[in-house]
Amino acid sequence: MSIESLPDVILQYILSHISNGRDVAYCNCVSKRWKNSLGYIRSLCFTRNAFDNPPNDEDSDIIVRRMVSAVERLEELIVFCPFSPSGLASWLALAGPSLSYLELRMDNLGDNAVVHESPSKLDCIGAAMNLEILKLWGVLIERIPKWDEFHNLKILEVVGARLEDAAVNAVIRSCPNLTKLLLLGCEGVQSITIDLPFLEDCRLDFYGLGNCSLSLIAPKIESLEVQGCSWIRVPETKHLKKLSISNSAGRVYMIDFGKLTALETLSMRGIQWCWDAICKMLRLASDVKHLFMKVEFTGDYDALQPFAEIDFVDFFNSHPKLLKFDIHGAMFAALCQKNSLKHVDSDFVIPCLEEVLITVRSPLNAEQKMSTLESLLKYGKNLRTMVIKILQMKGSHNSADDFFDEICRFRYMHREIIRIE
């Protein structure tokens, strides 16, 4: 049986699953029957090079408009090829009311003229008020867009953006029912306020000086990842299960969280955290199951300070549910102070720990470090895996070699559990 012998309803169903703009254009040329059936398409996607060789010197604005106008009820529109504000406005005037998914590569970060556009590409999106998912790439958000509220919008993703505080805060306020918010690779933010009662998943990645402040009110938040903030306030956290805080450019000065009773995974990364912020975060995360710790230094000001001593017994008594512990450099050194293991009760045990990943960077205090490694094995009754990563060590050649030999001997004695990377 050939495809031409299929009933109209089956042909329409098959063709409705084609979304690539070029494929739709080719199908449009097959026959009048195929052309009429393409009106049942629900999704259109125009790739970056979709119109490298346009027919009759038509630009992408005209071609996309013609294809959008041929569809009876378009639900998804993805455009990565270049377009103008007027082109976008014309497409959304036709398809805006039916769209539930819109993804656009805006490509206006380096265009100074975009500031004076009226309406701007961002303003045009307001015509698609029934959207459920909106994804924007390479967008300039320096003016408050002329939008009403997107009441149906559940997912907002902005990747690669230049932002102004007032504008991005206004954009977030116009999406009151979001469950997922992603702002990735964004610059220009100094202070951001998010108040979203239904938000469950939030990823914020700000680059620049690393001195942004964040206030997040989201009583249903379950997963939060923040990069580039120095001040973080999240008062409602009873549902928070996954938390990641990092700052690769600046310092983490202050964190203010509610009770973290549901927290399972905590990741702390950065060059420098204030010691009070480290201690508070570890204290709040007493029920955490997976802890990743890669903070290089502490200190409240410009001077970088090493970690203070962290009592080995107190730490594990304070985190009884810990299953996986990933320790990098400074944290491991803090647990290896000579007073940490002087007085250990006979009934002390690390009850749940199953996996430890330790990154060692220095041969200093080698004896204490070996003692800590041995203690993890001795008291971690359920420990199944210990991975020791040895980076290029700073220090004299002999001391580094001696320490490495000690670790190799330790690994040989417990080779069923330990491996070296």
Side-chain angles (χ1 to χ4, degrees), residues 262-280:
L263 192 67
E264 297 179 355
T265 302
L266 172 62
S267 175
M268 301 167 63
R269 306 168 186 250
I271 301 298
Q272 183 179 5
W273 282 48
C274 291
W275 186 243
D276 286 347
I278 293 174
C279 293
K280 187 174 184 180

Side-chain angles (χ1 to χ4, degrees), residues 2 20 23 41 58 84 105 122 170 176 195 204 223 234 247 294 317 331 337 340 343 371 375 385 396 409:
S2 68
N20 184 278
D23 294 339
I41 286 173
E58 293 179 327
S84 68
R105 181 165 179 157
L122 209 57
D195 189 347
L204 306 174
S223 177
V234 189
N247 196 332
K294 189 181 178 182
N317 279 340
M331 181 68 177
Q337 300 299 319
S340 190
H343 305 288
S371 178
S375 296
T385 303
S396 66
R409 278 193 289 270

Side-chain angles (χ1 to χ4, degrees), residues 110 131 155 182 191 193 206 258 304 360 364 371 388 395 402 417:
L131 287 175
I155 298 174
L182 274 69
S191 177
T193 300
F206 304 124
L304 301 176
V360 183
L364 295 177
S371 178
I388 304 174
D402 291 345
I417 293 178

Side-chain angles (χ1 to χ4, degrees), residues 205-211 226-229 245-252 269-273 294 296:
D205 175 19
F206 304 124
Y207 64 89
L209 298 177
N211 60 353
V226 181
Q227 195 320 106
C229 288
I245 302 174
S246 63
N247 196 332
S248 57
R251 302 192 256 317
V252 177
R269 306 168 186 250
I271 301 298
Q272 183 179 5
W273 282 48
K294 189 181 178 182
E296 306 289 346

Side-chain angles (χ1 to χ4, degrees), residues 6 27 33 64 88 165 209 321 359:
L6 293 174
C27 292
R33 184 171 177 239
V64 174
L88 180 61
D165 290 357
L209 298 177
K321 298 180 181 179
T359 301

